[in-house]
Amino acid sequence: DIDPDEEAFLLWIAREGVVAPVPKPWKECTEGDETFYNNEETQESMWDHPLDAHYRSLVVKYRALGPEKEPKAKMSGSKAGGPSVLTR
């Protein structure tokens, strides 16, 4: 978990992860009020967003680097040369 008071420099990762689209071949599904993800090719299902592990690894990486190493551009695909978080 990111502590917003102590680790504000990591909040860009959380913001990006929350709005990340579900990558193919995954599909977001609901059952009642629960959301899960289904891989349409393998029929594998899971509760976590398929990109959660990726964003968790970014938290580990940038936490270790500290706030002074925070990327200048925080959204993938930016022209400023920020981190390439996802390629879709």
Side-chain angles (χ1 to χ4, degrees):
D1 292 341
I2 297 172
D3 181 335
D5 296 323
E6 299 291 324
E7 300 178 310
F9 67 99
L10 298 174
L11 291 177
W12 67 271
I13 301 169
R15 283 190 294 272
E16 190 166 316
V18 167
V19 298
V22 179
K24 290 183 181 184
W26 292 92
K27 181 180 178 184
E28 185 174 321
C29 304
T30 56
E31 185 173 301
D33 61 348
E34 299 286 337
T35 299
F36 66 97
Y37 301 90
N38 185 62
N39 182 314
E40 294 183 317
E41 292 177 2
T42 66
Q43 299 309 308
E44 174 187 4
S45 292
M46 62 183 175
W47 294 107
D48 293 332
H49 189 286
L51 298 175
D52 277 0
H54 172 74
Y55 286 103
R56 285 188 191 109
S57 70
L58 286 178
V59 169
V60 170
K61 174 183 176 179
Y62 285 100
R63 181 177 281 144
L65 292 173
E68 58 279 349
K69 297 293 185 179
E70 177 182 12
K72 301 296 182 230
K74 297 177 183 70
M75 294 303 288
S76 61
S78 70
K79 294 180 182 177
S84 177
V85 175
L86 294 175
T87 304
R88 293 186 192 106

